[in-house]
Amino acid sequence: MKTLLLMVEKTEKGICKTGLDDYAERIGHYIPFEYREIKDSQILKMIQPTDTVILLDERGEERRSMEFATWMQKKMNTSRTLVFVIGGPYGFSKEVYDRADEMMSLSKMTFSHQMVRVIFTEQLYRACTIIKGEKYHHE
């Protein structure tokens, strides 16, 4: 299973870019992973009809890290390409919401769309280590 993270706008230099790149490299040791910085108008052009699309959205379902790992494992068994999308500061268009297969929320709190990149990739890395039975996650 291939995993793609689409992010609207460029990642700002500094801690967000460093964190994103660090976790992206770590994730790549477990699953095929890439991220792309795109314009809002490109979201639907980047998605194939067979892709499973998950929007990171405040109205989405919240999962604990262990639950997310279990969810990821199921998706790894059933999806060819899993596409996560982080929108810009104003969310997504109706067309993007209509195309999404699911929505996921990282928290009831609001984070900047820049910070979400680091938080999400860390959680994806954490899920990979949980699936492999490694000791990164403590529960």
Side-chain angles (χ1 to χ4, degrees), residues 41-100:
S41 61
Q42 294 176 302
I43 294 173
L44 293 175
K45 295 174 187 169
M46 301 295 296
I47 298 169
Q48 302 302 313
T50 58
D51 292 347
T52 301
V53 179
I54 295 85
L55 303 181
L56 284 113
D57 187 274
E58 64 186 4
R59 293 170 290 179
E61 183 178 343
E62 287 185 34
R63 293 180 178 91
R64 297 179 67 244
S65 295
M66 293 294 289
E67 295 167 339
F68 179 55
T70 300
W71 179 90
M72 275 296 296
Q73 182 68 62
K74 289 178 185 173
K75 293 298 181 187
M76 290 168 85
N77 295 332
T78 60
S79 300
R80 287 190 10 220
T81 304
L82 190 57
V83 180
F84 293 95
V85 187
I86 299 172
Y90 301 105
F92 302 101
S93 69
K94 180 184 179 327
E95 293 78 20
V96 172
Y97 279 113
D98 289 345
R99 170 55 182 91

Side-chain angles (χ1 to χ4, degrees), residues 1-7 31-37 46-48 51-52 54 81-85 120 124:
M1 177 198 71
K2 177 181 170 185
T3 303
L4 173 64
L5 173 61
L6 298 178
M7 305 173 297
I31 58 176
F33 176 77
E34 67 177 294
Y35 70 80
R36 294 188 191 155
E37 297 167 324
M46 301 295 296
I47 298 169
Q48 302 302 313
D51 292 347
T52 301
I54 295 85
T81 304
L82 190 57
V83 180
F84 293 95
V85 187
F120 174 73
L124 185 56

